[in-house]
Amino acid sequence: MARPRVYKTEAIVLKGARMGEADKLLTLYTPHLGLLKAVAKGVCRTRSKMGGHLELLTHSTLMLAQGRNLDIITQCETISSFLPLRADLWRTSCALYAAELVDLLAAENVENRPLFRLLLDTLERLCQAGDGELTLRYFELHLMDYLGYRPELGRCLGCGSELEPVTNLFSPSAGGVLCPHCSQGQPPGRPLSLNALKMMRLLQRGDYATASRVKLRPELASELEGSLRGYITYLLEREVRSAAWLDRLRREASQKGTHPGLEG
Amino acid sequence: MDIGFVPTAQPVGRLIEELNKLPGIGPKSAQRLAYFLLRMSADEARSLAEAILAVKERVILCSECQNITESDPCLICRGDGRDGTTICVVEEPLDILALERTRGYKGLYHVLHGAISPADGVGPDELKIKELLSRLQGRPVAEVILATNPNLEGEATAMYLKGLIAPLGVRVTRLARGLPFGGDLEYADEVTLSRAIEGRQEA
């Protein structure tokens, strides 16, 4: 989409890299321009009027001016800075993971309003109580959906027959689930228990209110996490870096017999 | 025939290549700098080269606070009149200079050399956190001041450190966050303002 010389947009700040003396190169996600890279001048100075409005994971209204290569942010105002999320290490980390996924998978200059809405809702949901795990799984499944990678969870991708209530195979390369018969001789995937399949279907159907009320056993939670991570890693052909950090926080909390989202 | 080939003396080409590796220096700036250096007097050039070598050869990390130093332990860690029971944790060596300019702090420092940034692959193992924890073992440290930057990564690092240090029975404090001196209230963002209200003091 062609943009005017000076334009206004909403944006969520996904990433910031220092540039020069006190500038930052920001990666933003916007409703009608998709991923957008823009320069924020002087925001590293403590007296910067824009700095606080352009921190990571802030939802702001921006005014931008077209530059030669990169657009330059001229004005900004916070819409929401998701305060409860910032007060907690685990929630902050979950939100950074969501931001990294959008940064890695979404496209520049492609309008994707549902995806913007999803990211915004996810940040708001991470501000609420709970361990955040189902919020992330919901986010992952719908992110796949809006980007055209929706995994098939109803029928076997080998023979097309409806999936039986048994342990099937979740195959990233096939893009969904294979029945036990078709999974023989296929490239490796992960066994997907019936409960995990049902939970994925529930999340994929899109009723967050119902899905988020489900209490998952830790084994089932980590099975879901593992299957979806396998799929995302396959699509990206690399690991998601923040996922390793989430693993570490989970590991350190489990040594104390708890979950990082339920501490403190 | 290679049109892209620029005929220049081999040492000059090498210098251009090396300068080009510096941040913010593109191929054209590298050429300009190289030809400037070429016209420098031999003394000036030698002094520049020696300065670069000295940085690499003589500067080390202080085994105590991890600050860059010429002698180990560094001047601050050895300094008389320094309060050894307080450690101020900062992200970068330059932050120490900023804090020292205030002349208001008399304790010791600890440099992390970065902040937790999951998407860049920077976790606790990439920072000098192990060194900080071992400094706290068996020493009479009463307070750790977390002076990481007041941005998302700095806050995450501070929260993570608090979780590690608080169980040791050491008081953990965070630098106050509020309105900058010389600022303007109407431009303040909601995070800063809400913290300024929380942290208000008797006038």
Side-chain angles (χ1 to χ4, degrees):
Chain A
M1 201 175 116
R3 10 188 149 143
R5 228 173 60 77
V6 177
Y7 60 99
K8 209 172 146 178
T9 179
E10 267 179 63
I12 298 170
V13 185
L14 303 180
K15 201 165 85 177
R18 257 190 99 151
M19 206 173 94
E21 183 82 356
D23 305 345
K24 264 188 182 173
L25 173 60
L26 300 180
T27 307
L28 309 160
Y29 199 71
T30 62
H32 63 283
L33 293 166
L35 270 188
L36 176 70
K37 292 206 159 87
V39 180
K41 295 266 186 199
V43 285
C44 297
R45 295 181 217 280
T46 44
R47 285 205 207 162
S48 161
K49 286 172 180 133
M50 298 200 295
H53 300 282
L54 294 173
E55 244 319 290
L56 286 185
L57 308 177
T58 308
H59 177 206
S60 297
T61 316
L62 312 179
M63 185 82 103
L64 293 106
Q66 263 194 34
R68 246 180 312 171
N69 296 313
L70 291 157
D71 294 355
I72 293 164
I73 300 168
T74 55
Q75 284 176 45
C76 52
E77 188 162 24
T78 307
I79 299 172
S80 169
S81 51
F82 310 104
L83 277 174
L85 189 153
R86 280 165 211 279
D88 182 283
L89 181 58
W90 170 252
R91 286 160 211 273
T92 304
S93 308
C94 288
L96 282 174
Y97 168 75
E100 188 184 355
L101 277 189
V102 172
D103 179 28
L104 291 174
L105 284 160
E108 282 186 45
N109 254 322
V110 175
E111 175 171 323
N112 197 336
R113 282 172 195 271
L115 180 51
F116 182 81
R117 191 67 243 171
L118 174 70
L119 181 60
L120 208 55
D121 288 342
T122 303
L123 294 178
E124 268 155 24
R125 285 165 189 161
L126 285 171
C127 289
Q128 290 152 18
D131 65 12
E133 295 282 4
L134 272 179
T135 310
L136 287 186
R137 301 297 88 77
Y138 182 93
F139 171 76
E140 289 163 345
L141 272 166
H142 286 264
L143 177 74
M144 299 294 114
D145 216 339
Y146 297 146
L147 291 170
Y149 300 117
R150 181 189 171 99
E152 173 59 50
L153 301 174
R155 292 176 174 278
C156 167
L157 285 160
C159 57
S161 57
E162 237 169 88
L163 291 167
E164 300 288 325
V166 291
T167 295
N168 293 289
L169 186 88
F170 188 82
S171 162
S173 54
V177 184
L178 293 170
C179 71
H181 181 73
C182 296
S183 55
Q184 279 154 23
Q186 284 288 324
R190 291 172 68 104
L192 188 71
S193 70
L194 182 60
N195 280 336
L197 179 63
K198 281 183 177 164
M199 195 62 218
M200 271 201 201
R201 283 176 179 161
L202 180 63
L203 288 165
Q204 196 178 53
R205 265 208 305 277
D207 180 5
Y208 180 77
T210 316
S212 64
R213 272 202 297 275
V214 178
K215 289 272 172 288
L216 289 189
R217 278 178 296 111
E219 307 86 66
L220 186 57
S222 74
E223 184 186 353
L224 279 175
E225 199 270 334
S227 300
L228 285 171
R229 185 190 296 196
Y231 188 41
I232 292 167
T233 312
Y234 173 79
L235 292 175
L236 285 169
E237 298 180 357
R238 58 165 270 202
E239 298 283 332
V240 183
R241 288 207 180 116
S242 327
W245 170 241
L246 293 181
D247 281 345
R248 183 179 177 127
L249 290 175
R250 283 191 198 105
R251 206 167 50 237
E252 287 180 5
S254 78
Q255 283 165 4
K256 291 184 249 163
T258 174
H259 184 278
L262 304 171
E263 283 182 316
Chain B
M1 237 182 45
D2 190 352
I3 313 271
F5 176 69
V6 185
T8 179
Q10 198 262 334
V12 180
R14 186 173 153 222
L15 182 59
I16 293 175
E17 222 170 88
E18 292 297 325
L19 290 170
N20 202 2
K21 291 178 189 163
L22 298 174
I25 307 274
K28 284 286 170 211
S29 308
Q31 277 176 23
R32 231 164 357 96
L33 285 173
Y35 280 93
F36 176 81
L37 292 171
L38 193 61
R39 288 194 203 99
M40 244 181 185
S41 74
D43 280 349
E44 278 177 313
R46 187 165 298 114
S47 141
L48 175 65
E50 278 168 3
I52 294 173
L53 279 177
V55 176
K56 286 320 287 178
E57 283 164 6
R58 301 230 304 273
V59 174
I60 48 169
L61 291 188
C62 170
S63 59
E64 281 290 310
C65 68
Q66 310 298 324
N67 189 11
I68 47 173
T69 174
E70 225 181 317
S71 58
D72 184 23
C74 72
L75 284 173
I76 295 178
C77 290
R78 262 189 308 180
D80 301 329
R82 282 276 169 181
D83 172 13
T85 63
T86 313
I87 295 180
C88 179
V89 180
V90 296
E91 287 180 20
E92 299 293 341
L94 282 173
D95 298 334
I96 292 189
L97 294 186
L99 286 163
E100 279 298 289
R101 272 201 300 271
T102 66
R103 293 169 194 275
Y105 178 68
K106 288 280 167 256
L108 302 178
Y109 292 96
H110 188 89
V111 186
L112 295 173
H113 291 275
I116 290 173
S117 176
D120 300 317
V122 181
D125 298 338
E126 279 71 38
L127 305 175
K128 306 283 183 190
I129 290 180
K130 267 198 306 294
E131 290 80 355
L132 174 63
L133 293 176
S134 67
R135 267 181 97 182
L136 297 175
Q137 300 291 333
R139 244 178 277 184
V141 176
E143 180 178 355
V144 171
I145 304 171
L146 300 175
T148 49
N149 286 334
N151 54 31
L152 195 90
E153 291 98 339
E155 295 281 303
T157 312
M159 287 189 276
Y160 184 75
L161 285 176
K162 182 173 185 274
L164 290 179
I165 299 170
L168 304 175
V170 179
R171 180 174 178 223
V172 185
T173 54
R174 181 90 174 97
L175 283 193
R177 286 147 298 183
L179 297 166
F181 181 68
D184 209 341
L185 211 63
E186 78 171 295
Y187 289 106
D189 57 283
E190 60 171 283
V191 182
T192 306
L193 263 181
S194 68
R195 296 225 162 108
I197 294 172
E198 277 168 29
R200 70 187 183 278
Q201 291 171 354
E202 296 296 331

